[in-house]
Amino acid sequence: MKSQEPDPNYFSSSSSSSSLVSSTKWWSKETIAIVTGANKGIGFALVKRLAELGLTVILTARDVERGQRAVESLSEKGLPVNFFQLDVSDPSSIEAFVSWFKSNFAALDILVNNAGVSFNDIYKNTVEHAETVIRTNFYGAKLLTESLLPLFRRSPSKSRILNISSRLGTLSKVRNPNIKSILEDEELSEEQIERFVGLFLQSAKNGTWKSQGWPEIWTDYAVSKLALNAYTMVLAKRYEGEGISVNSYCPGFTQTSMTQGQGSHTADEAADVGARLLLLHPQQLPTAKFYIGLDPFVKSNL
Ligand code: NDP
């Protein structure tokens, strides 16, 4: 998958929602979007932005109370959104969510796989929670996506999946050529991605991960995002010309709980760019792209 800076022409020349709406609006209240892990951080900011822009948004959160609090705070701002509990690391929660979605909505247009965890402090690296990190950040997104795929409207102009990823998950971070080659295969398959992830989990378990050339920073998290990016590419290929666009987006170093509040920009700023990527005009909608950061976009467009 190639990383790509957004093309300035995809967007209006101003950051205000009115100009985004007037020059490129293809969506309406009938456009249905799901965002995972949306009770706080970038997910919450994305829900807010999409609701402001007039889509029907489903805010999901693994904790009902935290989720409902987030929904209430939006409602107080005049932004009503739907809510359902969803723990992406729990297959039975995914099943319950998909069943609720099916009985309440005719079809799905947009899925944002945003939910994610890291158990590392900013300058520390531990793989103690590797299984949870991989189960949430990679398998959670994958299982939810697979379960929702049949429900997409499959409109070439509308159906979109955006996986919130990280530049830590770029292939250059893998230093072992043998491991790297698994994901470099032109005919990359889901089985190969799972093999890659399995090898890492094995080395995390037997304590050999440090010497094997896995990414050096936030190793388990980086592996989960490498797998998510690879899955983005496999899925994009599977649906090329079939009406679903699939891309990844790294929001850059953002001030959220995950970074203990550190970062170069706010969640709202990251979400603004994320929403713009999500809502690209159908004629310019790419697939299999990895968008990194908001600086290039800000410089060229705002
Ligand atoms: P936050 O920690 O603020 O938010 C993470 C969200 O994911 C929370 O709502 C959390 O819920 C939710 N979550 C965690 N586990 C699950 C689960 N099993 N099921 C459902 N929801 C879950 O972090 P960010 O907003 O920063 O992270 C959002 C995304 O952006 C992540 O995918 C992250 O990897 C990515 N990202 C963030 C960067 C940054 O600098 N902040 C940089 C690059 C990528 P709860 O409140 O219950 O824990």
Side-chain angles (χ1 to χ4, degrees):
M1 177 166 48
K2 292 194 184 86
S3 67
Q4 175 176 308
E5 292 179 5
D7 181 330
N9 298 320
Y10 289 165
F11 304 94
S12 60
S13 58
S14 150
S15 65
S16 76
S17 59
S18 57
S19 58
L20 176 67
V21 170
S22 61
S23 63
T24 61
K25 188 170 179 185
W26 55 266
W27 62 90
S28 70
K29 198 76 194 155
E30 309 305 310
T31 309
I32 313 294
I34 295 171
V35 183
T36 66
N39 53 292
K40 65 179 180 183
I42 297 164
F44 175 75
L46 258 170
V47 167
K48 184 168 60 154
R49 192 78 189 106
L50 295 177
E52 282 167 356
L53 289 167
L55 289 86
T56 291
V57 191
I58 299 157
L59 182 157
T60 68
R62 62 176 160 176
D63 182 274
V64 173
E65 222 170 275
R66 288 196 284 270
Q68 281 173 343
R69 240 182 284 138
V71 170
E72 277 159 29
S73 78
L74 290 175
S75 172
E76 283 161 13
K77 291 186 170 74
L79 297 170
V81 298
N82 302 273
F83 173 70
F84 202 83
Q85 190 269 346
L86 174 60
D87 180 339
V88 299
S89 68
D90 175 359
S92 66
S93 175
I94 291 182
E95 203 181 314
F97 171 71
V98 173
S99 157
W100 168 82
F101 181 83
K102 260 193 223 167
S103 42
N104 286 278
F105 297 90
L108 175 62
D109 298 295
I110 292 175
L111 169 63
V112 184
N113 284 309
N114 166 80
V117 283
S118 167
F119 294 86
N120 288 293
D121 286 339
I122 289 211
Y123 301 108
K124 297 234 171 86
N125 193 19
T126 164
V127 297
E128 204 184 324
H129 300 280
E131 280 193 20
T132 305
V133 171
I134 300 287
R135 188 168 65 242
T136 307
N137 299 3
F138 168 56
Y139 282 109
K142 181 174 187 287
L143 185 58
L144 178 66
T145 303
E146 298 291 335
S147 309
L148 287 170
L149 276 171
L151 305 179
F152 270 92
R153 216 179 290 275
R154 294 285 284 276
S155 144
S157 62
K158 290 185 182 151
S159 299
R160 295 139 195 245
I161 297 172
L162 190 65
N163 292 323
I164 307 298
S165 189
S166 166
R167 73 182 82 206
L168 295 177
T170 44
L171 257 183
S172 60
K173 308 286 180 197
V174 182
R175 291 159 300 131
N176 180 329
N178 294 330
I179 297 173
K180 198 173 178 175
S181 68
I182 302 174
L183 295 188
E184 280 173 333
D185 191 331
E186 287 281 305
E187 300 301 319
L188 184 67
S189 65
E190 287 173 41
E191 290 71 29
Q192 281 165 300
I193 302 172
E194 294 195 8
R195 193 176 136 235
F196 173 84
V197 162
L199 281 175
F200 168 67
L201 286 175
Q202 210 175 11
S203 69
K205 213 171 191 173
N206 65 26
T208 57
W209 61 281
K210 273 194 181 154
S211 59
Q212 285 186 344
W214 294 99
E216 279 179 310
I217 300 172
W218 283 21
T219 306
D220 52 8
Y221 177 86
V223 169
S224 74
K225 297 297 189 181
L226 269 153
L228 184 63
N229 286 342
Y231 177 62
T232 301
M233 189 168 68
V234 168
L235 201 62
K237 207 167 170 188
R238 202 200 300 167
Y239 284 95
E240 198 160 20
E242 302 281 328
I244 304 182
S245 137
V246 193
N247 298 295
S248 287
Y249 165 50
C250 167
F253 192 30
T254 310
Q255 296 149 9
T256 65
S257 310
M258 187 170 280
T259 59
Q260 292 98 51
Q262 296 189 52
S264 54
H265 50 263
T266 63
D268 280 342
E269 288 170 301
D272 185 55
V273 175
R276 284 156 178 264
L277 296 173
L278 261 178
L279 298 176
L280 281 169
H281 192 277
Q283 280 166 1
Q284 281 108 18
L285 184 63
T287 195
K289 297 294 182 216
F290 182 21
Y291 291 101
I292 298 185
L294 64 170
D295 279 357
F297 176 74
V298 171
K299 275 183 201 136
S300 55
N301 297 285
L302 302 183

